[in-house]
Amino acid sequence: MDTRIERITDTTEYGETLDAAARIILSGGLVVFPTETVYGLGGNGLLSDAARKIYSAKGRPSDNPLIIHIAEPRDAENYASTSEVYYRLADAFMPGPLTVIMKKRDCIPMSVTGGLDTVAVRCPSHPIAHALIEKCGVPIAAPSANISGRPSPTSAEYVVEDMNGRVDMIIDGGECEIGLESTIVKIDGNSLTLLRPGAITYDALCCVCENVKIAPAVLNKLAENEKPLSPGMKYRHYAPSSDFVLLDGEKRDALEFMKKEQIENNCAVLCYDEEFEYLNASLSISIGKENDLSTQAKRLFTALREADKLGANKIYAHLPTPTGLGLALYNRMIRAAAHTIMKV
Ligand code: TXA
Ligand code: MG
C-alpha cells in the first residue's frame, strides 16, 4: 500500500489535508494522526471492517479493544451509557488526556471493543485530532500508532518507521506534547478504577471522585491466570528489543552501577540530565532533569527507541517513584522492562 505522508505546520491551515483524511476514514481506510498524548492509528469507529484493518496494520491481537475518539464530551451519549460521574470527569478533564470506559451502545461494533460490552471513550485536545474527528462526523477508533509491543510513537518519524506502507495516510503534526498515552478509568457506579495512569494523575482524579481504586496491574505483575481488568494489561508493551532493566536503590549507587556496566559490558543507559556528563555519552540517553517529570514523560518512548539503536545488549534506567506523573512513568517502565527490577 502507498502511504501518503502530509506535514501540517500551521494548525490553522489544514483544510485540504484534513478533507482528504476524512474521506479516507469515511470510506473505511486508515489515517495516522497526532494527539496531545501519542500518535493514533485511526479508522471509522462504527465500521467492523475498519477495526479489523487496524488490528492487522498494528499486528495487534483482536481481543485488545480500541479507544473511540470523539469531538465533544457530550458526543459520548451516542456511543455509551454516560452518567453523572462521566460528566464530572468531562467537566474537569475534557478535552484532554483522559479515556473513560462505560457500557457501550449497539452502534459500536464488537470488533472495536474486542468483544466486550464496554467501550473506551476519549475526547482529545490536539487541534488536528479535534478537527479531523469533527470533519468525519463519526467517532474515530484509534490505538497508538506503533507496531504492537513497541513504544508508542510521539513523533511522525517513529510513525513512519512502524506504519509506512500499512496505512493510507500519515499526518505529521510534529511532536506530541505529553508523550505518554491517556489516563484510562472505568466507571462503576460512583467509583472509578484507574486502569492506566497518564497525565491526568491519581490525585487529580481523587479531586473529582471520592472513590478511586488503582487496578493492581498498574503497579504489579499480573499473576499467572489472573484476568486483567483491561485486556491491554496482559500484553508486553513499550519494549525495546534489548533487555531493559530497572535499578532500584540509592540514586548514587544506581549511577555508579550504570557507569561500571558501560565500561565493562558496553551497556546503554537512560539517565537524567544532571548525570549525563559523568556517563559515557555514546551509551547514554538523557530523559530530562531528575525533577522534571513532564519532560521525562515526553522523552521516554523516544529514548527507548533510540536506546535500542545503540546496539547494546542491555539498557539500564532508574526505577521512578510512583507518585504524581511518576506513576505513569513507573507503569510504562516496569512493563517495558517486563518487570525486571534489580536492587543496587
Ligand atoms: O492516549 C491514548 O489513549 C492513545 C491515543 C491515540 O488516543 N491511544 C491508545 O490506545 O493508547 P491503545 O489502543 O494503544 O491503548 C488502549 C488501551 C488498551 O490497553 C486496551 O486494552 C484498553 O485501552 N481498553 C480499550 N477499551 C477497553 C475496554 N472496553 N475495557 C478495558 N480496557 C479497554
Ligand atoms: Mg498502545
Side-chain angles (χ1 to χ4, degrees):
M1 173 191 291
D2 267 347
T3 300
R4 184 172 155 189
I5 302 175
E6 294 283 347
R7 174 146 179 76
I8 294 180
T9 42
D10 179 351
T11 47
T12 56
E13 279 285 336
Y14 37 57
E16 163 44 30
T17 300
L18 289 196
D19 286 343
R23 278 196 299 276
I24 292 170
I25 289 199
L26 290 173
S27 61
L30 303 183
V31 174
V32 175
F33 61 98
T35 83
E36 69 278 22
T37 57
V38 300
Y39 275 78
L41 165 54
N44 185 339
L46 301 179
L47 287 182
S48 299
D49 219 41
R52 272 190 284 276
K53 279 191 196 166
I54 291 173
Y55 290 118
S56 139
K58 259 184 88 80
R60 176 174 183 152
S62 59
D63 70 343
N64 192 1
L66 309 175
I67 295 173
I68 62 163
H69 296 69
I70 55 176
E72 304 299 333
R74 65 177 174 279
D75 294 346
E77 294 291 344
N78 302 323
Y79 315 117
S81 305
T82 59
S83 63
E84 198 259 324
V85 175
Y86 170 75
Y87 280 102
R88 257 194 274 154
L89 291 167
D91 285 345
F93 306 118
M94 292 184 193
L98 179 71
T99 296
V100 182
I101 297 177
M102 296 168 281
K103 278 264 176 300
K104 81 173 194 71
R105 296 203 191 278
D106 290 343
C107 60
I108 300 297
M110 281 291 189
S111 54
V112 168
T113 64
L116 300 175
D117 63 357
T118 51
V119 63
V121 180
R122 159 155 140 78
C123 177
S125 62
H126 193 293
I128 296 175
H130 179 264
L132 178 62
I133 303 161
E134 201 165 49
K135 243 181 218 299
C136 289
V138 296
I140 299 185
S144 49
N146 51 286
I147 300 273
S148 193
R150 293 217 197 142
S152 301
T154 54
S155 75
E157 178 193 340
Y158 300 118
V159 172
V160 173
E161 219 170 73
D162 281 16
M163 288 297 153
N164 200 12
R166 294 171 176 254
V167 297
D168 299 284
M169 186 192 261
I170 293 171
I171 302 175
D172 174 354
E175 261 188 38
C176 300
E177 206 178 304
I178 294 172
L180 297 179
E181 308 87 344
S182 61
T183 301
I184 302 182
V185 293
K186 186 170 188 204
I187 299 182
D188 292 303
N190 281 323
S191 55
L192 294 181
T193 307
L194 177 62
L195 300 182
R196 182 175 72 184
I200 305 295
T201 61
Y202 171 78
D203 290 341
L205 292 167
C206 290
C207 292
V208 173
C209 189
E210 272 165 31
N211 189 0
V212 188
K213 284 178 289 206
I214 300 182
V218 166
L219 285 158
N220 299 301
K221 193 174 175 174
L222 278 169
E224 295 274 324
N225 303 325
E226 190 179 347
K227 192 173 177 294
L229 293 171
S230 170
M233 289 169 166
K234 67 177 181 255
Y235 295 110
R236 184 157 187 247
H237 206 333
Y238 319 116
S241 22
S242 322
D243 280 345
F244 183 44
V245 178
L246 298 172
L247 302 176
D248 182 15
E250 287 296 323
K251 205 188 68 173
R252 216 166 354 119
D253 298 336
L255 183 60
E256 283 311 317
F257 181 85
M258 286 174 169
K259 174 101 176 175
K260 186 165 150 284
E261 285 295 297
Q262 288 187 322
I263 295 169
E264 291 176 6
N265 296 316
N266 211 39
C267 292
V269 306
L270 305 191
C271 64
Y272 301 127
D273 286 358
E274 296 89 336
E275 301 170 330
F276 190 81
E277 274 206 4
Y278 176 71
L279 292 161
N280 173 342
S282 63
L283 286 171
S284 306
I285 294 177
S286 177
I287 58 170
K289 291 206 169 68
E290 191 190 348
N291 291 327
D292 183 358
L293 299 183
S294 305
T295 301
Q296 292 173 29
K298 190 167 174 163
R299 289 201 202 148
L300 177 66
F301 288 151
T302 298
L304 287 172
R305 283 184 184 245
E306 293 304 317
D308 232 4
K309 293 177 188 159
L310 298 177
N313 62 359
K314 252 193 195 152
I315 304 169
Y316 291 102
H318 295 283
L319 181 70
T321 308
T323 52
L325 183 57
L327 180 63
L329 282 160
Y330 182 95
N331 169 263
R332 301 314 188 277
M333 288 171 89
I334 54 171
R335 294 190 60 196
H339 300 270
T340 316
I341 299 175
M342 192 179 163
K343 290 255 183 229
V344 285

